[in-house]
Amino acid sequence: SSGINAEWPLRPGVQENERRLEMLQNKLVNTQQSKISDKYKMVRFFEKRKLFRKLKSARSVHGDESPQVQKIRDQINYIVYFPLGEKYISLLPKEPYTDDKVIARQEEILQSIAGKVLIKDLEDASQASWSKDKNVPLSRIKSLQAPDLNLKERRIHSKPAPVPSSTDDFFIIDRG
């Protein structure tokens, strides 16, 4: 018979189009997340700087294991790991929030991130020294900011910086 058998794989053109559609959908989602993330990048940067300063002074006054220091650490992790596709809810607003839904959502995200850091699903960003260290590779910073990957997946996706080879033609010096 000339009918299409259900066990046959899809034609190559159809598979190609499905893959292309999936790729474009992922690209659209990433673009939307990027736009939202870029919109709040400056706010997050300044809040992180303020909190690192608070952390430094709180450590000197209260010690490393005090509840005040832990609260600041949780807030730093909140800023770093805040979901990229959502409107950022500031920790240090000019005027306190009055909407109960916003306050509840902020607390929910804060607790979720603190829990993931506690069980080591996410690295503790407040322990990182990259806030002032200019020699940290960009891939390291990006891996800290990826909220949808757990620690094991982050290690797989972050690539180490390439080490120049001594056999590379660029480094060969002709002294003759």
Side-chain angles (χ1 to χ4, degrees), residues 28 53 77 87 104:
L28 177 65
R53 276 190 242 126
N77 288 324
K87 180 179 176 184

Side-chain angles (χ1 to χ4, degrees), residues 4-86:
I4 297 177
N5 189 342
E7 295 177 12
W8 286 11
L10 294 173
R11 294 180 309 220
V14 174
Q15 287 176 336
E16 173 92 17
N17 287 340
E18 286 181 351
R19 273 185 257 145
R20 190 175 294 149
L21 176 64
E22 184 178 341
M23 181 188 70
L24 290 172
Q25 287 173 336
N26 289 338
K27 188 175 179 181
L28 177 65
V29 168
N30 290 340
T31 303
Q32 289 169 341
Q33 285 180 349
S34 177
K35 283 181 182 178
I36 293 172
S37 176
D38 288 347
K39 182 177 180 181
Y40 299 104
K41 191 174 189 174
M42 200 100 153
V43 174
R44 292 171 65 194
F45 171 76
F46 287 120
E47 284 189 359
K48 190 168 28 170
R49 283 184 58 191
K50 287 178 185 178
L51 288 173
F52 266 110
R53 276 190 242 126
K54 276 187 179 180
L55 179 64
K56 186 178 178 181
S57 66
R59 278 181 175 165
S60 64
V61 172
H62 302 291
D64 267 352
E65 300 303 320
S66 72
Q68 293 91 344
V69 170
Q70 187 56 45
K71 180 181 178 186
I72 296 170
R73 283 185 177 153
D74 290 343
Q75 289 175 334
I76 291 171
N77 288 324
Y78 171 90
I79 293 169
V80 172
Y81 295 116
F82 191 87
L84 296 178
E86 290 187 32

Side-chain angles (χ1 to χ4, degrees), residues 110-124:
L110 190 62
Q111 294 302 320
S112 170
I113 292 171
K116 287 181 181 181
V117 169
L118 191 63
I119 62 171
K120 305 281 191 232
D121 267 358
L122 297 172
E123 289 183 42
D124 188 356

Side-chain angles (χ1 to χ4, degrees), residues 53 55 70 92 94 126 141 161-162 167:
R53 276 190 242 126
L55 179 64
Q70 187 56 45
L92 310 170
K94 291 180 182 176
S126 68
I141 293 171
T167 60

